[in-house]
């Protein structure tokens, strides 16, 4: 049966807030994983751009003694070449963690706010979910 308008509004705010927090958690997890995995690329490209005479031309000692324009260009190219496989690795790590932690199952449908009778339950050891019958066969990925 439908909820009253004020109750529906309150539940919509609660569910919207919870879904926003789950989204931010997913975004934070993705940011941390991508930063850690792409750190070698970031470092290599940074030093390549820092020591190249046409870009920043730093006066650091390692730029003068070790890296010239050719080696700086090689670092820049190497950084962009190793970025593609590292992006694939980072996305695979994020997807496996999201699947293992069931992060995508934490999003709640707005039908909880509109209709009475939906239940909050826990599916095994996973994240909280909402379903009328708490179907344990529901999966985020097939």
């Amino acid at each position: 049966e439908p909820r009253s308008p004020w109750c529906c509004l309150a539940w919509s705010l609660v569910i919207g807030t919870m879904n926003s927090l789950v989204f931010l958690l997913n975004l934070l997890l993705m940011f941390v994983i991508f930063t850690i995995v792409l750190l070698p690329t970031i470092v290599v490209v940074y030093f390549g751009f820092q020591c190249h005479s046409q870009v920043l031309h730093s006066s650091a000692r390692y730029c003068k003694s070790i890296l010239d324009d050719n080696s700086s260009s090689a670092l820049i190219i190497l950084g962009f070449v190793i970025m593609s496989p590292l992006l694939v690795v980072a996305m695979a790590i994020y997807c496996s963690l999201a699947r293992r932690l069931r992060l995508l199952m934490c999003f709640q449908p707005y039908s909880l706010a509109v209709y009475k009778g939906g239940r909050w339950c826990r599916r095994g050891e996973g994240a909280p979910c909402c379903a009328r019958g708490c179907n344990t066969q529901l999966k985020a990925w097939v």
Side-chain angles (χ1 to χ4, degrees):
E1 89 185 62
R3 294 184 191 268
S4 68
W6 290 108
C7 186
C8 181
L9 178 65
W11 274 101
S12 295
L13 290 175
V14 168
I15 292 172
T17 303
M18 191 175 107
N19 285 344
S20 298
L21 290 174
V22 169
F23 174 75
L24 289 175
L25 176 71
N26 277 304
L27 201 62
L28 178 68
L29 180 67
M30 189 181 299
F31 176 76
V32 168
I33 290 172
F34 273 70
T35 301
I36 291 171
V37 172
L38 291 175
L39 192 62
T41 298
I42 295 167
V43 169
V44 167
V45 170
Y46 171 76
F47 282 116
F49 277 124
Q50 185 182 16
C51 294
H52 200 281
S53 67
Q54 299 296 324
V55 184
L56 293 177
H57 193 59
S58 175
S59 62
R61 186 170 33 123
Y62 56 85
C63 287
K64 293 178 180 178
S65 62
I66 298 173
L67 297 174
D68 59 353
D69 280 350
N70 291 334
S71 58
S72 296
S73 298
L75 281 179
I76 294 169
I77 292 169
L78 175 68
F80 284 113
V81 166
I82 66 173
M83 187 185 320
S84 296
L86 289 180
L87 280 172
V88 172
V89 169
M91 187 53 97
I93 292 171
Y94 167 73
C95 288
S96 68
L97 270 177
R99 186 173 185 184
R100 182 169 298 165
L101 298 174
R102 295 183 179 184
L103 291 177
L104 298 178
M105 299 294 273
C106 292
F107 288 105
Q108 297 297 322
Y110 281 100
S111 62
L112 273 178
V114 178
Y115 298 106
K116 294 180 184 177
R119 293 190 310 209
W120 297 82
C121 64
R122 288 188 84 60
R123 251 187 226 131
E125 60 190 50
C129 65
C130 168
R132 293 191 186 272
C134 292
N135 185 3
T136 59
Q137 299 298 322
L138 184 64
K139 295 182 179 178
W141 291 281
V142 180

